[in-house]
Amino acid sequence: MIEFQSVRKQYDNGTVAVHELSLVVETGTITVFVGPSGCGKTTLMRMVNRMIDPSSGTVRVNGSDVRDSDPAQLRRGIGYVIQQAGLFPHRTVLDNVATVPLLFGRSRREARARASELLELVGLQQELGKRYPAQLSGGQQQRVGVARALAADPPVLLMDEPFSAVDPVVREGLQDELLRLQAELDKTVLFVTHDIDEAIKLGEKVAVLREGGHLAQYAAPDDLLAE
Ligand code: ADP
Ligand code: ADP
């Protein structure tokens, strides 16, 4: 599980992005963080993989304070997917994904085989692997981003507005795909969105955040109070 305990983040310029937040994300669930732009969602995600540290309070992954872990080691266990898939433009789609197993010491052939499996897992046709990212649609690029995040087989996935830049029909397909993948893979997914409908569709638990990084509600979708 992932535990935020009295977590507060104030940036150097004085902005309070997260205000004393405590909650527990259960292992093997999709937990959605929803709220307007600027309410601290991205800041929370970045505290899980130690791109930033809290000003006070503690973030624990499986019982260990993330500050006691080596960031590189920690990030092997945490996949990260963002709005712009962030693919390497000069590498093929297949090689974008194969980079990760290669980094972890697999041979080039093994890495490509693994990448090929992952493309299939996220619903991409094999021939797309030969293309370059710019030759894919936005939705396809996001699928590649998910495949790459899964390449190290991390138990935890951080997904920060992963589907926000694609059109509504494609977004629905990607949401369905994530639910199907989750049923198969059983990851602990922290999913950020500003769209309450997306939160309700995907979340087993939903954390509703407000301006100034306040946690307003944390509940299963059926138990959320109308605001
Ligand atoms: P969200 O993901 O919900 O849009 P963020 O976590 O990105 O929110 O930002 C929360 C608040 O912190 C915003 O007011 C934002 O402008 C501010 N903020 C984010 N990153 C920084 C930073 N590096 N320095 C100063 N302020 C920041
Ligand atoms: P997103 O909402 O997708 O995280 P932003 O545009 O909020 O994107 O932030 C882009 C980058 O700028 C991030 O690295 C964030 O930490 C930083 N940032 C955001 N707001 C501020 C701010 N007020 N001052 C300084 N840096 C900021």
Side-chain angles (χ1 to χ4, degrees):
M1 72 186 188
I2 296 172
E3 189 180 2
F4 297 90
Q5 191 186 2
S6 304
V7 168
R8 177 183 154 84
K9 177 65 187 180
Q10 181 161 21
Y11 285 105
D12 291 342
N13 66 358
T15 304
V16 177
V18 175
H19 177 96
E20 290 280 328
L21 179 142
S22 298
L23 63 79
V24 172
V25 171
E26 302 290 346
T27 300
T29 61
I30 300 181
T31 295
V32 179
F33 294 78
V34 65
S37 181
C39 71
K41 306 182 295 295
T42 294
T43 299
L44 279 171
M45 296 304 109
R46 290 178 178 163
M47 289 194 284
V48 175
N49 68 5
R50 288 207 68 198
M51 287 164 78
I52 55 180
D53 282 326
S55 308
S56 59
T58 308
V59 179
R60 289 193 183 84
V61 175
N62 292 329
S64 309
D65 186 335
V66 293
R67 278 199 253 207
D68 295 333
S69 58
D70 168 48
Q73 191 69 30
L74 180 75
R75 285 175 204 152
R76 284 193 180 201
I78 303 178
Y80 193 37
V81 186
I82 55 175
Q83 186 169 332
Q84 303 300 341
L87 304 175
F88 305 118
H90 303 301
R91 287 189 197 162
T92 65
V93 163
L94 189 74
D95 282 342
N96 260 277
V97 181
T99 297
V100 179
L102 212 52
L103 270 178
F104 292 159
R106 304 260 209 125
S107 72
R108 190 163 291 272
R109 177 206 288 251
E110 287 170 335
R112 290 222 167 119
R114 174 77 181 132
S116 190
E117 277 171 25
L118 285 159
L119 291 179
E120 186 176 337
L121 185 71
V122 300
L124 287 175
Q125 294 153 320
Q126 291 300 322
E127 55 264 33
L128 295 181
K130 296 184 199 126
R131 295 199 194 172
Y132 289 88
Q135 298 170 315
L136 300 187
S137 70
Q140 288 169 336
Q141 289 183 26
Q142 287 310 98
R143 286 176 195 257
V144 179
V146 173
R148 193 170 63 181
L150 290 171
D153 200 20
V156 176
L157 262 190
L158 306 179
M159 305 185 81
D160 192 346
E161 303 257 4
F163 308 148
S164 296
V166 297
D167 72 63
V169 176
V170 174
R171 189 182 315 145
E172 279 204 25
L174 290 169
Q175 291 165 348
D176 293 338
E177 195 75 15
L178 175 62
L179 290 171
R180 186 189 63 71
L181 262 181
Q182 172 61 5
E184 193 174 320
L185 301 179
D186 206 29
K187 303 287 181 191
T188 303
V189 180
L190 282 68
F191 189 102
V192 163
T193 181
H194 56 260
D195 176 358
I196 188 70
D197 294 327
E198 183 168 63
I200 287 169
K201 175 170 174 178
L202 296 178
E204 290 165 79
K205 290 286 274 298
V206 178
V208 182
L209 296 164
R210 279 216 198 97
E211 215 66 20
H214 292 267
L215 180 64
Q217 297 191 59
Y218 184 47
D222 286 347
D223 298 329
L224 288 176
L225 307 170
E227 296 203 30

